[in-house]
Amino acid sequence: MLILGIETSCDETAVALYDTTRGFLEGCTPRAGLLAHALHTQVALHDEYGGVVPELASRDHIRRLLPLMREVMERGEADVHELSAVGYTEGPGLAGALLVGASVAASLAFGLGVPAIGVHHLEGHLLSPLLAENAPAFPFIALLVSGGHTQLMHVSGIGQYALLGETRDDAAGEAFDKTAKLLGLPYPGGPALARLAEDGRPGRFRFPRPMIDSGDLDFSFSGLKTAVATLCARHALDKATRADVAHAFQEAAVDVLVAKCVAAMERTGLERLVVAGGVGANLKLRAALDWAAASADFDVHYPPLEFCTDNGAMIALAGALRLSAELRDSRSGALRLSAELRDRRSGALRLGTDPSIMHAASPHCAFTVRPRWDLSEIVGS
Ligand code: KG4
Ligand code: ZN
């Protein structure tokens, strides 16, 4: 089956094409199924505003999405009529941005008579380490560290996610971004701060490690950002000082993330940790986790760097895994998908393995977007 994946939740328009016959075969790694992927980042568009402007993001997704879809189909050497499903990010994210991807995906799926599969953005991130050469087996602990989320999840299988702990205030990526702003760095702050930190002198400043000894698996990052703001107000921010602050901030954030991961591994007794989301691209975090994993005797898996931040491949893969799971579970041949298209008058499920059912369906085509959506809500779905 060929699945197209569409990601438009924030400031990246991304598309990918996934082939389950290549990716899910016995003896293959899921990476083998990824036929093509393409991405347009809006970083330059939002740069002058110091952060994402939602309306501009939506408009740019409209401009970029169809050309990217064409490019991916061409590079994957596939025809749109060969698609078995269209996956799209249903949430969480910016409402207008999500609507662009969802409406294009649902329209294409409706036209082709195939299912549109709404994918949880964090489920995409969480499964993205499967795209690495050494894909982790279930079960594992996932550290999700993005611009909007910091969570530790117990992952038993596709759709089986239990929340172990999460941030009580800012997300880790948000703390990187806000601290970067305090240091006068351009958006997006995380990578810029990490680069500046390389020039910082270890030991000049030390920030608190919030909640590191709290005894639970929750996080808090807003106090760390406030500590940086207080220090910045007291020092002349010459280039060397800014680098020292960046270094000390990164050390503190990484220490907390690593300590909570080690605690989660100890508490659950699992053997594999996966790290996903934009902050997972941070090389200091990776090095510290690798060291901790070697000391505490667990394995740690990351997505390839290009699939750490938002991308279409993770949505295509998550859509493909969901579709395969649904097909396996389905007794009657009818698909139970989160983005199911229903005939509004009768409420009848109009999705089927036979595409002719779709063509006979009512012209009403419904889809959902969920700007706020908790990953643990899809447990067992
Ligand atoms: O997963 P992602 O692309 O989008 C969300 O779903 O939020 O994550 C973006 C976040 C931003 O906060 C960005 O600053 C951060 O990931 N980020 C990094 C690095 N690369 C991206 N933070 C620290 N170090 C990095 N190398
Ligand atoms: Zn993301």
Side-chain angles (χ1 to χ4, degrees), residues 6 74 99 151 226 237 342 371:
I6 296 175
E74 261 172 46
L99 271 171
Q151 297 184 326
T226 308
L237 288 182
R342 287 177 185 276

Side-chain angles (χ1 to χ4, degrees), residues 9-12 121-122 125 145-149 172-174 176-177 188-191 194 250 277-283 308-310:
S9 66
C10 189
D11 57 349
E12 253 100 34
H121 181 78
L122 289 180
H125 275 306
V145 267
S146 70
H149 294 83
E174 192 178 357
F176 268 88
D177 292 340
Q250 185 171 252
V279 183
N282 187 282
L283 297 180
C308 253
T309 43
D310 293 347

Side-chain angles (χ1 to χ4, degrees), residues 3 11 21 23 45 70 86 90 101 132 143 164 170 174 188 202 237 253 262 273 277 286 304 315 321 333 348 363:
I3 286 98
D11 57 349
T21 52
L45 178 71
R70 261 185 227 114
V86 185
E90 186 176 336
L143 172 70
L164 300 176
D170 291 353
E174 192 178 357
L237 288 182
V262 171
L273 172 72
R286 288 186 174 214
I315 302 302
L321 286 165

Side-chain angles (χ1 to χ4, degrees), residues 67-112:
L68 276 180
M69 286 163 66
R70 261 185 227 114
E71 184 186 330
V72 163
M73 294 307 294
E74 261 172 46
R75 291 204 339 231
E77 297 179 355
D79 185 88
V80 78
H81 292 99
E82 295 172 60
L83 291 176
S84 298
V86 185
Y88 67 96
T89 304
E90 186 176 336
L94 302 170
L98 289 168
L99 271 171
V100 177
S103 53
V104 168
S107 310
L108 177 61
F110 187 76
L112 294 172

Side-chain angles (χ1 to χ4, degrees), residues 145-195:
V145 267
S146 70
H149 294 83
T150 301
Q151 297 184 326
L152 276 163
M153 306 286 300
H154 184 296
V155 180
S156 317
I158 306 297
Q160 295 174 340
Y161 314 126
L163 183 67
L164 300 176
E166 64 182 334
T167 184
R168 297 191 181 169
D169 39 59
D170 291 353
E174 192 178 357
F176 268 88
D177 292 340
K178 287 178 175 171
T179 302
K181 212 169 190 173
L182 287 170
L183 297 174
L185 295 170
Y187 153 89
L193 187 143
R195 273 193 302 277

